[in-house]
Amino acid sequence: MPDRRTARSFRWTTALAAVAALAAPAVVVAGPAQAAAPAAAAPAAAAPAAVEAAAQQAANVWPVLRAGQKGANVSALQHLLNFRGQTLTVDGDFGPTTTAKVKAFQQSQALTDDGVVGADTWSALVTTVQSGSSGSAVRAAQTLLAARGQAVSVDGIFGADTAAKVRAFQAGAGRP
């Protein structure tokens, strides 16, 4: 019998992958469908591997971010940097402080420290959040959900309200 927590974790990761895909408008149609395909095909026993595959897919569809950009994608980036140990104010502005924190994070991960957030940097930043999670990574997911039309509080708590908004987002994106 499949573990309900594993299945739930898989659904939330798929939702995060779908939210991530929407961060890159050019990939909206292809990104979510590709991220969801392994979910539908994977048996419940393979869910942990599928969770990691969905997280990797999410990292591959995020937009390239660099100094000078502003908005929800930058706010999500800043939340994820905080989650990964950098300390910065989340203001949605990719300014000099965010650039320095991105470079520090890239150095800590043995990535090219160019201050540009592309697929390799996203792969190191993106993480799975699920019901019961809390903190900056949840704030990142909530920020992206809110930017995509879900009326969710960005409070860092993955409770019943966030779970409902994820399900609503999934339904709107054709997700199970």
Side-chain angles (χ1 to χ4, degrees):
M1 174 134 201
D3 180 349
R4 289 180 150 222
R5 290 181 79 179
T6 301
R8 200 172 345 191
S9 174
F10 178 75
R11 284 195 307 268
W12 301 142
T13 302
T14 302
L16 185 56
V19 172
L22 288 178
V27 196
V28 170
V29 176
Q34 292 170 352
V51 167
E52 292 307 315
Q56 181 62 40
Q57 178 66 26
N60 291 332
V61 296
W62 285 74
V64 175
L65 297 178
R66 56 181 40 92
Q69 293 181 292
K70 298 177 190 276
N73 293 338
V74 175
S75 292
L77 164 67
Q78 292 168 328
H79 283 301
L80 288 170
L81 285 167
N82 284 338
F83 173 75
R84 295 296 184 188
Q86 301 300 315
T87 305
L88 67 155
T89 301
V90 176
D91 61 5
D93 184 4
F94 200 134
T97 303
T98 300
T99 300
K101 297 298 183 174
V102 167
K103 286 181 178 183
F105 175 76
Q106 289 170 326
Q107 288 173 351
S108 76
Q109 299 296 306
L111 300 170
T112 302
D113 61 342
D114 58 5
V116 175
V117 182
D120 290 341
T121 303
W122 284 121
S123 291
L125 282 168
V126 171
T127 188
T128 301
V129 296
Q130 60 188 4
S131 194
S133 297
S134 62
S136 294
V138 174
R139 284 185 190 91
Q142 290 169 330
T143 296
L144 293 174
L145 282 166
R148 303 311 178 267
Q150 297 299 319
V152 63
S153 296
V154 181
D155 60 7
I157 300 168
F158 200 129
D161 184 56
T162 299
K165 299 307 179 186
V166 167
R167 283 191 297 277
F169 179 83
Q170 288 174 315
R175 301 260 180 268

